[in-house]
Amino acid sequence: YLVAYNIPFCAACSRSWIGVFEPKANQYRETVALEDPLPDQTLTVVPLSMGGAPSVFLAYGTSLGDAHNRLNVAAYSFIGNQLSKIWSRVNLPQGKLELGPGTMRLSFLTELRPQVKERAEVYTWTSKSIELQSVAEGREP
């Protein structure tokens, strides 16, 4: 089981945690955990289905108290007794994440001053990696 929690009490004192629990001796025990994987941010965790592949999940959130809602996204793989970060995108102003079957779309602003453009990146994932498939930039949203 994958368990995650977030305590977003305040921007400076928030706390998050992600842990994997497995059956051992007729009970579930913590196998591995990440202490505060997204400090001072919201936390959402979504499993990525990859058939019989090792467990992979996304953890994402936005910075608390940030007027620009910077999105941070990381993909983790659980193999054996280890959680490994296999991919990430961070500090994406006004960032949005959309998930579809086997695809992920990130959209965000390229700048926070004049000449702002919206950028969209589309990724696909396999059992071994997350790959960039396309990039598009347009005028200010």
Side-chain angles (χ1 to χ4, degrees):
Y1 287 102
L2 178 65
V3 177
Y5 75 79
N6 187 28
I7 302 171
F9 179 67
C10 67
C13 57
S14 71
R15 188 116 183 105
S16 61
W17 182 88
I18 299 173
V20 175
F21 289 78
E22 294 182 298
K24 293 179 185 176
N26 294 327
Q27 55 185 308
Y28 283 87
R29 295 187 183 201
E30 180 185 306
T31 301
V32 65
L34 298 172
E35 293 288 333
D36 215 13
L38 294 174
D40 306 327
Q41 297 171 51
T42 62
L43 174 67
T44 301
V45 175
V46 178
L48 299 180
S49 175
M50 294 189 183
S55 298
V56 177
F57 64 90
L58 285 180
Y60 64 95
T62 56
S63 301
L64 296 169
D66 180 5
H68 300 294
N69 287 330
R70 287 178 180 87
L71 178 67
N72 299 287
V73 184
Y76 291 91
S77 175
F78 175 67
I79 300 173
N81 291 337
Q82 293 186 344
L83 278 174
S84 302
K85 187 186 296 185
I86 60 171
W87 174 88
S88 68
R89 291 289 276 131
V90 297
N91 294 322
L92 306 175
Q94 298 303 124
K96 295 181 184 105
L97 170 70
E98 297 172 32
L99 291 172
T103 64
M104 168 177 41
R105 182 178 188 272
L106 293 175
S107 60
F108 54 94
L109 302 181
T110 58
E111 297 284 333
L112 293 175
R113 51 184 175 249
Q115 303 305 318
V116 172
K117 292 181 183 176
E118 185 172 29
R119 180 179 173 107
E121 299 175 349
V122 176
Y123 294 85
T124 58
W125 59 78
T126 67
S127 61
K128 297 179 182 172
S129 65
I130 294 178
E131 302 289 330
L132 179 63
Q133 295 302 305
S134 65
V135 175
E137 282 191 7
R139 296 234 183 257
E140 183 174 357

